[in-house]
Amino acid sequence: MASLVLMPACEIGPPSNAGSQGGGVLSGSAAEQVYVAPGQHDEFYAFMSGGFSGQVTVHGLPSGRLLKTIPVFSLDGEKGYGFNEETKPMLETSFGFVPWDDAHHPELSQTSGETDGRWLFINGNNTPRVARIDLTTFETVEIIELPNSGGNHSSPFTTENTEYVVAGTRFSVPYPVKDVAIDSYAETFKGMLSFISVDAEGHMDIAFQILLPAFDYDLAHSGKGDSHGWTFFTTYNTEQKSTLLEVTASQNDKDFIAAINWKKAEEYIKAGKYKEVPAEWTHNVYHEDTHMAESTLNKKVKVLTPSDCPDMVYFLPTPKSPHGVDVDPTGEYIIGNGKLSADLTVHSFSKMLSAIENKSFETTIESIPVLKFEDVVAGSVVKAGLGPLHTEFDGKGYGYTTFFISSEVVKWKIGTWEVTDRVPTYYSVGHLMIPGGDSRKPEGKYLVALNKITKDRYLPTGPELCHSAQLYDISGDKMKLLLDFPTMGEPHYAQGISAAKIVPNVKKFYAIEENKHPYRALGEKETKVERDGNSVHVYMTTIRSHFSPDNIEGVKVGDRVYFHVTNLEQDWDVPHGFAVMGANNAELLIMPGQTETLVWEPKKIGVFPFYCTDFCSALHQEMQGYIRVSPRNSGVALKWSLGEEEPSS
Ligand code: RUQ
Ligand code: CUA
């Protein structure tokens, strides 16, 4: 039964009005709307999660142009991320080096509930982590690991002023960590929500965790306006099963939205009502002055328990295995998208407060009051489609909800709950994104549907087909499909923002005089090669169009050679690359003013070329050098040079 319900729409034939939206008479004006002429810029940035690629991609809207892949949780040979010595610590965890993750939800920082263009956060779902990307450099600058968690899915949704980004465990796990029989799930497993504080510079810390029943915590969104101070998490598997969840976790008619009063939680922290428990988690920070990341292992975390902290957590009954939870721009309405339901459930924040005041409780679960459904529900969008997943808002009084099973986006009116429009998606849409669509100030011009399945929409590329995004014009009463474009990995969620909020702050290069890398060479005069036992440190520079030094001798088999390459350029868009034959990692791609380090362990004797990998100048092909490797016991002395004839041995 369950598997039949979840069959994607494309398996049962395309939506009936496919033809009218797929091209034809509309396509001329649609082309004009998405055409960004050569040399012109897009109006919006879109940041898309890479899903199982572990990265973020940056696109322009409305063109859909791919502008950059930002490496976050996965190794990236293109930029040397996770391969060079400087960024390896970014991927350290309490499990050691974890070079991959499954990234789902990009989330922009906000000020007063509006996107502010400072940072982008994104979760790692596999080995629970949250990353922060600096939107002046478009680089990952911080990754924090989350203990007591198993699968960080409901993350990293921000509060109104980026006081916190939140992270809820998708899979409950034994708490504290212990070796127990899996069928002891209901007794020994627990759920955990983490509140990660973000300071004025963006630095993250785990402020506290909240211990909850062993449900699956799926998605989250924080309150805004009147509901600022609260965060809402969806739950499923309130049946607390550990096997065949497809069937066993779909039995309850209603699961819950957990409403967390985090301002209350802050009071309990101040009052010392927490337990400090042992927990291992890494905190990795990239320092812009040294161009190096540093990983610290932390050993403790503060945990609040609802039984010690009344009034901090309430459950709102919500049909039926809700997935997304979305808060409208006013903060009054909390929309639960029950993925096994045809209706959307809309809760009212003000009704919730009255219900709390009147103690209108159905029951309690582990000291957490369950509010009476009738006393919190504001209304529902009835029979809108099949399999609602996510909702965003246009700031003009409408919500837009994706329906996975019926493969469409449905527009409905806040307050009357009537459906006013629907469009098909190709196919099986998951999230959707309106720039600012989960903030107080949506920029309701475009909507992007993020599709799970593409089937016949593109030229086939073997068994694996691209995932895709579809761009709709939502400026009028009726949604209008404008464009399909492929995305990288799986674009779970995305965030969009006016380019004007980011462009003025974009960094063009790193000031060389601010470079504090311990192995920097701030001019060709500072270049040198030093031996320290079996380690050889090469202090190298690049400038159009040579390396200094470009001839190196005296290296031996079994050495560990560190190429510390400083790019002396002070101009926009002039990175140099560095690659050496036989290296067991990747290239370096060094931004102007930056120093990066490649480790090379020569295994064979010979003379090996190195070269610049990024076509930087007319004489880029001349940007090359040689390193000589002698036998372990050879007497060849260490020598380096630039612009001399071959040194003789
Ligand atoms: S998910 S398609 Cu956000 Cu990972 Cu809903
Ligand atoms: Cu430097 Cu090519």
Side-chain angles (χ1 to χ4, degrees), residues 337 344 388-391 399-403 408-410 412 432:
N337 305 282
L344 298 180
L389 293 185
H390 299 282
T391 300
Y400 299 73
T401 301
T402 55
F403 288 82
E408 58 190 337
V409 176
V410 171
W412 49 273
L432 76 171

Side-chain angles (χ1 to χ4, degrees), residues 542-547 567 569 574-578 611-617 619-624:
T542 63
I543 193 122
R544 279 162 286 179
S545 299
H546 60 266
F547 293 99
N567 182 354
E569 306 280 356
V574 197
H576 291 286
F578 176 85
Y611 70 101
C612 173
T613 49
D614 186 329
F615 207 109
C616 50
S617 62
L619 296 173
H620 156 81
Q621 288 298 87
E622 282 72 12
M623 197 165 170
Q624 63 171 57

Side-chain angles (χ1 to χ4, degrees), residues 104-105 153 157 219 323 389-390 429-431 452 490 492-493:
H104 286 224
H105 307 117
H153 194 262
F157 299 97
L219 279 147
H323 185 56
L389 293 185
H390 299 282
V429 60
H431 278 270
K452 302 296 188 189
E490 179 177 349
H492 284 259
Y493 188 37

Side-chain angles (χ1 to χ4, degrees), residues 134-176:
D134 182 329
L135 293 179
T136 65
T137 58
F138 287 60
E139 302 278 358
T140 304
V141 291
E142 192 172 3
I143 296 183
I144 198 164
E145 187 183 356
L146 301 158
N148 298 318
S149 300
N152 175 36
H153 194 262
S154 39
S155 169
F157 299 97
T158 186
T159 56
E160 204 173 83
N161 296 297
T162 322
E163 293 93 340
Y164 300 97
V165 290
V166 304
T169 192
R170 169 160 161 211
F171 313 112
S172 283
V173 288
Y175 172 84

